[in-house]
Structure formats: structure tokens, C-alpha cells
Amino acid sequence: MMPKGTRNLSTLDYVSIVASLYKDRRALLVGLAATIAGVMMAAQKTGAIELYGVAVAFIVATAMRYSNLLAFQNDPPAADDRAAAKIWERRQLVLGSVSASIYGIWCFISFVLIDDPFAELVALSVTIAAMISIVTRSFGIDRIVLTQSLAISIPLALGLILTGDGYNMALAALLVPMIVSFRFLASDVRALLLSRIHERTMAAQLASRLDTALETMQHGLCMLDETGVIAMVNDRAQQTFAGIAEGAWVGRAFSDLLEEAIAKRALPRPTVDRLNRMIGQQTGGKIVMKLSGDYHCEVTISSRGDRTVLLFENVTPRIRAQERINFMARYDGLTGLPNRTYFTEQVEADLASRERMGRGEPVFLAIIDLDDFKNVNDTLGHLAGDRVLTETAARIQTAMHRQSHLARLGGDEFVIYRAQNTVGATIESETDAILAALRRPFEVNGERIDLHASIGFVSSPEPKIVLDELIIRADLALYRAKTLGKGQRRAFVAEMDSEFRYRQRLKTDLALAIETGQLTLVYQPLVDLGTRQVAGCEALARWTHPELGPISPETFIALAEETGLVASITRWVLQTACAECANWPEPISIAVNVSARDLRGEALGNHVHHALGASGLAPARLEIEITETALIEDRVGAAARLDALAAQGIGIVLDDFGTGYSSLSYLHEMAFTKLKVDRSFVSGITTNERELKLLANVARLGQDLDLVLVAEGVETKEQLDAIARHTEIDQVQGFLFGQPLPASEIRILIASLVQSSPQPSSGAAFHPALLGK
């Protein structure tokens, strides 16, 4: 294969090859001086004037080439300056070709014009030597070798041919393979040069990279020879043992450094022995060393042949993070108590041990729950709530039995477990002490917080009792404590389990009842006190269980809220009630109760929109009833959703006023159109003048706020007359006008009241009916 040009060479290689053209000025001067001497001897012997001219030409060419060499050495091209190198290559090509052509002309003159064997021999031998010199000096650039060889060979070959001698002509023909061989020779030398350049460059780069890698790597590195002596080490490795093994490391036995660490109590002997054993056996592996302080270092041992490499990695952050993760996985971040997961592990292990060892002493488990803790977060913020929880944990720990184990289940729930000294007296004493400790007022940021706690507990001697069963029983006891008034303790009894299973069955059956349409609606009329006509009806859901019979609304509505099914009930009630109300005479309205869960989401507005759209009922004939307790959880969000409904013309009713917080701010901030006074204000008005005055004042307040006032629980004519004569109540509702009726019967009642249209008795206060509101 013919040699390739310089275009494919990298800049570094090309500049290096051009620089090789200008090497060794002395060799150039000696060679040209010998050439000039040979020409002069031939000229002296033959007396040919032409040879003196050739000598002068060589002298001039030598001066030009030497001057060019000096110029290159004074201003060589940079290693990455290919353009400058190209200029120097061209100058060498031109000057070298001129000098080469002089050699060819010398031979031509000697063979053609001068008939002297000595002159011919001198010219030919010196010229061949010059061609060899061209290969050795200009091997890096193939076109220079070729150009200069042709500059010599063409005149030489022409001179040999013109002699007319057949041997000389054959000799001229041999110049072609000689030139070709010279080119291949130059290519081989060039390849050798480039290889050496590459090897030297790569070696320098590798050495530089190795130094950089060793000094910039995040881990320490130490290489040991076959005797355990340190052959190479970086700064990071020495920093690992800073203050322990000082001085230079290279040339020292690594085991000596470890002994220094033992002497300074930075490493324990077992760790060092294990590390030395791994190095000696060349088994490889990893070991974590804890050096003085809290510094953890992981050593990775690798062996190949008779060399061992130790890699030191600072794993202190990782160890700390792992410890933190382990703590977070087992302990509550706020109180520092065991969390549910870790508590479960501990108790289950103790219960299993108890079963294996056949211990018969009862186990005790109690769940402690702060009553109405959510109000603390809502009123004072979650930071205050967190401080209350932290202090609660501390108070329980000071009051509980010394053998009890306390954990935080989550939220404001704590759990206590004990498997020793669980006789009834110690349990009662412990739970009473905890309740007393939590009754003391909390003080957070200058605010006094009065809280109580409820406790449900279980004591079981069953040998194979499991934790889940204990928690279920304690939770049932806690539920009973809260339903009985909170702030007290209750022990689990068997009947609680029956109630629990009953409730669980009702939850399952209620979902099926909603899905299969087992629920029904009844309607209780609201009668205008002035006209004694039906102004509206309240839609009430009813459920008759196919096996258990009628289920109290208080029971199944509470279960629906607990399980999240109340939204489905609300949607169904809205659709059914609006469709029924559309059949009644205008402007009789329909009222639908919604729960706190309904007010927390965005679905209520969509349910109302679809119910009105499907039934064609005017928005003004629909009322949404809520209780004060439904507003506590998300007052701002509830207000926004109620305002959106009121903006459509839908009435907003505050139900059971007087039984909750009775906050007047609700009446001021929210878009209420009607106020329903609870039945407790009505029951004693015929026998207790104070209660009648209270009802009258509440009614007057509602009138001043431009609200429609409804008195609930009117059951006798005497109550109705008292309300009509002494209060400004607009509407009444109660059993006096009948029980809540199904749709078919409520239509008959509405029609009968419309037809009879009785007038109020004389002297009774008359107020505009809802029609005029």
C-alpha cells in the first residue's frame, strides 16, 4: 500500500513531523560540505568550468537552507498550529527540491558533458547518498520525499540515457523501483516515529490522568505490595487517618499504621485483626471501621496477583442517615415514642413469648385519646397542637405504671401495653392517674388549653390472644367512653363486641341498601304561622332493614358519615326530593339536610346542579339545611360553598340553632336565609315563662337579621298558640301537623291545608308567610 498524505494526520502528529524536517543543523552542513568537496575535486581533476558552477550553486543552496533552519528554530509553530506548520513544510519542500535538482544537474553534466570516470563516480555516489539523506531527513512528508527524489532522478536518468550505453540505460530504469522503495522506507520510518510520539504522549497523558484521578477521587486509595508495604497512596487516604498515623506512608507496612491506630485507641483490636486477616488471605471484601469520634470509614479490599488495593470511603453521612431512617421507622418524630410499627413488633414478640412459656397472667392494653383535640389545631394552629401532644406524652409517662410500654398510634391516640402486674387495682389506678394528669390545663404560648382524655382498655388472660384483637377491644371500650360523655375510662366487656359486630354488619348492609334502592324518603311539613298553610317540607331519609326492621336515622346516618357513604345518600335525597317537590304547588319548597363531609368536598354543588336540572325545580324552592357542628371542621371552605349555592337563589338554613355553639358570628358571616330554633326552646314555653321569653328574643334576633324563623318540635295546640301570640316566629314544624309522611300522603296533606286555609285566632300575632319573604 502506498504511503498516505498528511491530511489524515492529527494536528499534533503533523506539527511533530514538520518539526522533524528541521532537526540537526550539523548533519545538513556536514553533508553539503562533503558534497561541495566532491564537486570541487571533480572540477579540479577535469578542469570543467561547469563543475565550478555546480559548486557555487551548492554553496548558495546550503546558505539558504541553513538560514531557513535558523528561522524555524527561532520561531517554531505551536503544537496546535497546523497553518504555521504548513508554511514551514512548503519552505522545506521548495528549498530541498532546489538542492535536490542541483544534485541531478551535477550528474547530468558529469555523464553528458564531461567524459571522466572519476567525475561520474563522484557525482553518482554522492547523489545516491543525498537521496538516502532525503529519506532519513524528510521521511515524515511523503510529497517532499517524492518531489526531491524526482528532482534528482529525472536529470540523473536523462544523463544516463544520453550516454547511449545500454548498462547506463538499465541503471536509469532501476531508479524507479529505488524511488518507490525510498517512499516505503520513509513511510515505515514515519510510522515508527508516530508510534513513538503516540506512546510518549499516551504515557504522559496516562500518568497525568492517574495523578489527577488519585488526587481528585472522593475515596482514599492505598496499594500494598506482596509484603504488605505501602507502594502508592493518595492524600485522601492519609486524611482518613489524620492525627492517627502521621508522616509519609510509602515504604511503611500498613499493619504498622493500624497498630498506631490501636495505640491511640482510634480502632478496636477485633476490627484491626479482621482487616489484617482479609489482607493476608487476599479474600477481598468490605469492612466498616469506626475511627475516633463519630467518623465511619468503609474499607474495600481487592487483590490481584501479589498486589492489594485498599479503598477508603467516608460513609459517616450514610451511617447517620441509616441510623436516622431506622429511628424514623421505629419512633414517632414528634414525641420520640415508639410508633405503631415498632410497638406492634415489641408487643407481638412479647405475646409470642408469653404463649411459648405458658404465662397465665393477663395482659393489659389501653388506648388513650384526647377529646376534641381537633379544636386545638383549628383555633391555635398545628404548632400549638404539636406542643400539646408532646406534653401529653410526657404526662402519660410520668403517670403510667413503671412496667408499661407507651407508644403513639397516630394523631392524638396513644397506646399502653403491660404484661406484668395487671391485676384490676393497678389498671384502675394507672388509668385514673393518666386521666388526672391530662385534666390539668395545658399552657401554650400564653394560651390556656383545657382538655380531657378518654381511655378504653382491655385486660385479657387468654393464652393465645393477638395484638389486633386487643386493639379492637380497647377501641370498642374507647368508643363507649366517648359516647357516654368523654373524659372517662371504660373497660371492654363482651356486649361491646356484639355492638361492634352489629355496627359492622349495618355498614355493609347500608352500602347494599344505597346500591339497591332500599332507602325511602318521608316529608315533614313546615307550616306558615300566618296562613296555616304548608310553606315547605323537610326531606328525611328512612331505612327499613329486610331482617332487622327500621333502623334509626341517627344510627345509619352516623354510619354513613363514618364510612363515607353519606355523599351517596345526599345525592339520592337531592334527586328524589327535588323531583317530588316539582309536583307540589308553587312556591312550596323542599329542604334537604347535608353533613359536614358534604361541605368538605366540591361534590355538593354538582349534586345540587344535577338535581335541579333533572327535576326542573326552581333554585328558590330548594333549601339546604346544615347544623352548627357541620361548620366547625372547615368554616372558611363551608362558607365559600354555601355562598356559591346562595348566589343561585338556593335557601341556606341553620338547623338546630341553640344546641351547638350558637355562635352569632355564623349568622353574620354566612349566607343564611332561615333559622330553625331547636325543639328544646319550645318544649316548656306553656309552663315556663322564662323559656317563652328566650324563644321570643331569639325570634326577634332572627327578624332583625332578616331571617325566616322556624320553631321545631311543636306538638300541641297550646304551644302553637303561645308561639303565635308572644313571638315573631314565621313557621312551625312538629308532630302537631302529623308525622313525617311518604310522598303520596304529603301530597294529600298539602292539598287539604291549601283547601281549608284556616285563619289564625284573634289576637294572634300575624306575620307575613314565606311567600312574602
Side-chain angles (χ1 to χ4, degrees):
M1 180 180 293
M2 291 298 291
K4 295 182 179 179
T6 59
R7 286 180 297 178
N8 296 324
L9 294 176
S10 67
T11 298
L12 177 64
D13 291 344
Y14 176 66
V15 173
S16 299
I17 287 176
V18 171
S20 70
L21 301 176
Y22 290 87
K23 295 291 184 182
D24 199 354
R25 291 174 296 171
R26 291 172 298 180
L28 173 67
L29 292 176
V30 171
L32 288 174
T35 298
I36 294 171
V39 175
M40 291 299 295
M41 285 189 295
Q44 183 69 29
K45 181 177 183 300
T46 61
I49 192 65
E50 295 88 347
L51 294 181
Y52 285 108
V54 170
V56 172
F58 272 125
I59 293 173
V60 173
T62 300
M64 293 175 62
R65 294 187 67 182
Y66 188 76
S67 175
N68 187 49
L69 283 173
L70 292 177
F72 178 87
Q73 292 180 358
N74 292 330
D75 186 24
D80 58 349
D81 193 348
R82 194 182 189 97
K86 187 71 174 176
I87 295 173
W88 288 108
E89 179 202 340
R90 290 172 181 167
R91 294 177 68 171
Q92 182 67 13
L93 173 65
V94 172
L95 294 177
S97 298
V98 169
S99 182
S101 63
I102 295 173
Y103 279 103
I105 293 172
W106 178 22
C107 291
F108 180 85
I109 291 173
S110 298
F111 280 104
V112 176
L113 301 181
I114 301 172
D115 186 14
D116 184 87
F118 175 76
E120 293 175 358
L121 177 62
V122 171
L124 185 60
S125 59
V126 173
T127 298
I128 296 300
M131 293 182 71
I132 295 173
S133 175
I134 288 172
V135 174
T136 58
R137 176 178 292 276
S138 304
F139 63 87
I141 308 296
D142 180 64
R143 56 178 167 270
I144 292 181
V145 174
L146 179 61
T147 301
Q148 292 183 3
S149 296
L150 292 175
I152 292 175
S153 300
I154 291 175
L156 172 59
L158 184 60
L160 290 173
I161 292 171
L162 291 178
T163 60
D165 189 320
Y167 289 101
N168 286 345
M169 296 175 69
L171 184 61
L174 291 177
L175 290 175
V176 175
M178 185 178 68
I179 292 174
V180 172
S181 65
F182 281 173
R183 292 189 65 198
F184 278 111
L185 178 62
S187 177
D188 292 341
V189 175
R190 180 168 61 251
L192 180 61
L193 172 66
L194 291 177
S195 176
R196 294 294 176 84
I197 292 174
H198 290 168
E199 289 175 359
R200 186 170 62 251
T201 302
M202 288 298 295
Q205 289 178 347
L206 287 174
S208 176
R209 290 172 183 172
L210 179 59
D211 289 340
T212 301
L214 288 175
E215 298 307 321
T216 59
M217 68 186 301
Q218 294 299 312
H219 304 330
L221 184 141
C222 179
M223 180 181 290
L224 310 181
D225 63 15
E226 66 278 3
T227 62
V229 174
I230 299 173
M232 182 175 65
V233 66
N234 66 352
D235 291 342
R236 185 76 66 172
Q238 292 180 285
Q239 291 170 6
T240 301
F241 287 83
I244 300 174
E246 303 292 349
W249 280 30
V250 176
R252 300 177 62 184
F254 185 70
S255 58
D256 292 344
L257 300 182
L258 297 179
E259 291 297 328
E260 287 188 33
I262 294 175
K264 294 182 179 180
R265 298 184 177 180
L267 277 176
R269 170 64 68 179
T271 300
V272 172
D273 291 343
R274 183 184 173 195
L275 183 57
N276 281 328
R277 186 166 55 253
M278 295 172 69
I279 294 173
Q281 296 175 353
Q282 293 189 330
T283 55
K286 294 184 178 183
I287 183 173
V288 176
M289 303 186 305
K290 183 178 180 181
L291 298 172
S292 55
D294 192 26
Y295 183 86
H296 293 80
C297 175
E298 183 180 75
V299 185
T300 302
I301 302 100
S302 303
S303 298
R304 177 176 294 180
D306 57 358
R307 300 284 175 170
T308 300
V309 175
L310 306 178
L311 196 66
F312 302 95
E313 180 183 0
N314 179 7
V315 293
T316 304
R318 190 180 77 193
I319 296 295
R320 290 175 180 170
Q322 188 62 49
E323 291 174 349
R324 180 61 180 165
I325 290 172
N326 291 337
F327 179 84
M328 293 174 63
R330 292 172 171 263
Y331 292 90
D332 173 51
L334 178 63
T335 63
L337 296 174
N339 59 17
R340 179 189 290 269
T341 302
Y342 189 35
F343 175 78
T344 300
E345 292 176 4
Q346 290 178 309
V347 174
E348 287 182 342
D350 186 75
L351 291 175
S353 173
R354 175 176 176 270
E355 181 181 350
R356 287 195 305 270
M357 298 178 66
R359 297 201 304 265
E361 187 174 7
V363 294
F364 161 68
L365 186 138
I367 296 178
I368 307 165
D369 184 85
L370 296 179
D371 298 329
D372 302 318
F373 173 74
K374 188 177 186 303
N375 294 337
V376 177
N377 285 334
D378 291 344
T379 56
L380 299 179
H382 287 277
L383 291 179
D386 289 346
R387 292 189 59 179
V388 169
L389 291 174
T390 303
E391 187 173 343
T392 297
R395 291 188 187 186
I396 295 174
Q397 285 176 304
T398 59
M400 70 184 190
H401 194 280
R402 60 184 178 83
Q403 291 179 310
S404 291
H405 300 278
L406 175 65
R408 183 186 178 199
L409 290 181
D412 59 335
E413 275 196 346
F414 298 84
V415 60
I416 284 178
Y417 171 83
R418 188 169 76 252
Q420 297 86 27
N421 297 322
T422 54
V423 295
T426 61
I427 292 175
E428 293 175 0
S429 174
E430 180 175 10
T431 53
D432 286 341
I434 293 172
L435 288 177
L438 297 180
R439 286 193 190 104
R440 299 198 310 269
F442 294 82
E443 187 171 332
V444 178
N445 299 328
E447 294 281 348
R448 172 179 169 139
I449 303 174
D450 292 309
L451 282 177
H452 294 88
S454 299
I455 300 179
F457 65 90
V458 59
S459 177
S460 174
E462 299 175 38
K464 294 185 178 181
I465 190 71
V466 295
L467 177 60
D468 287 345
E469 189 66 28
L470 288 173
I471 289 179
I472 289 174
R473 293 178 182 180
D475 206 37
L476 291 174
L478 177 66
Y479 178 79
R480 175 63 63 84
K482 285 185 172 292
T483 57
L484 293 178
K486 303 179 181 179
Q488 54 186 296
R489 59 175 170 82
R490 280 292 180 270
F492 171 81
V493 293
E495 67 180 36
M496 294 179 183
D497 188 57
S498 301
E499 292 178 2
F500 171 73
R501 298 184 189 281
Y502 173 73
R503 287 173 58 83
Q504 293 301 108
R505 178 184 178 184
L506 287 185
K507 288 179 184 179
T508 303
D509 292 349
L510 178 58
L512 181 62
I514 295 172
E515 183 179 348
T516 57
Q518 294 179 18
L519 300 184
T520 59
L521 276 186
V522 294
Y523 301 87
Q524 186 171 29
L526 285 80
V527 177
D528 185 273
L529 195 57
T531 64
R532 304 296 170 90
Q533 292 185 356
V534 176
C537 292
E538 181 179 358
L540 303 170
R542 295 291 185 264
W543 178 28
T544 300
H545 193 282
E547 297 179 14
L548 304 176
I551 306 298
S552 167
E554 288 77 7
T555 299
F556 77 80
I557 292 299
L559 290 176
E561 291 184 350
E562 184 179 333
T563 58
L565 294 171
V566 70
S568 299
I569 295 178
T570 301
R571 181 177 66 251
W572 171 78
V573 171
L574 280 168
Q575 293 174 348
T576 306
C578 287
E580 177 60 29
C581 184
N583 299 321
W584 301 340
E586 294 187 8
I588 296 176
S589 61
I590 186 68
V592 175
N593 292 279
V594 299
S595 70
R597 185 181 289 269
D598 291 320
L599 290 176
R600 286 200 295 268
E602 302 294 336
L604 179 60
N606 295 330
H607 296 337
V608 170
H609 175 74
H610 291 153
L612 293 176
S615 63
L617 186 69
R621 297 180 63 189
L622 174 63
E623 294 177 343
I624 298 298
E625 288 195 16
I626 59 172
T627 61
E628 289 179 273
T629 54
L631 300 174
I632 294 175
E633 295 186 4
D634 183 13
R635 184 167 176 172
V636 176
R641 294 176 182 89
L642 294 177
D643 286 343
L645 295 175
Q648 303 176 43
I650 297 169
I652 308 298
V653 182
L654 181 60
D655 195 11
D656 296 336
F657 181 77
T659 60
Y661 293 92
S662 299
S663 173
L664 298 181
S665 61
Y666 289 140
L667 304 180
H668 171 69
E669 295 175 0
M670 300 194 180
F672 292 115
T673 57
K674 182 181 289 188
L675 190 66
K676 297 181 75 172
V677 183
D678 187 70
R679 65 180 64 249
S680 60
F681 285 78
V682 175
S683 59
I685 60 174
T686 59
T687 58
N688 190 320
E689 185 177 353
R690 183 182 180 88
E691 292 189 18
L692 181 61
K693 288 181 179 179
L694 182 59
L695 177 62
N697 287 330
V698 171
R700 188 174 299 112
L701 173 64
Q703 289 289 340
D704 291 342
L705 296 176
D706 198 25
L707 298 175
V708 176
L709 269 295
V710 180
E712 296 183 293
V714 179
E715 299 181 356
T716 66
K717 186 176 184 302
E718 290 75 16
Q719 290 174 336
L720 180 64
D721 291 341
I723 290 172
R725 285 195 302 268
H726 301 291
T727 73
E728 298 182 15
I729 294 293
D730 296 297
Q731 298 174 4
V732 291
Q733 181 180 5
F735 290 161
L736 178 61
F737 304 98
Q739 298 283 346
L741 301 172
S744 59
E745 297 181 25
I746 197 67
R747 295 176 197 169
I748 297 174
L749 176 62
I750 291 173
S752 65
L753 290 177
V754 169
Q755 292 172 2
S756 61
S757 186
Q759 295 299 317
S761 60
S762 60
F766 180 86
H767 299 287
L770 184 60
L771 292 172
K773 291 292 178 182

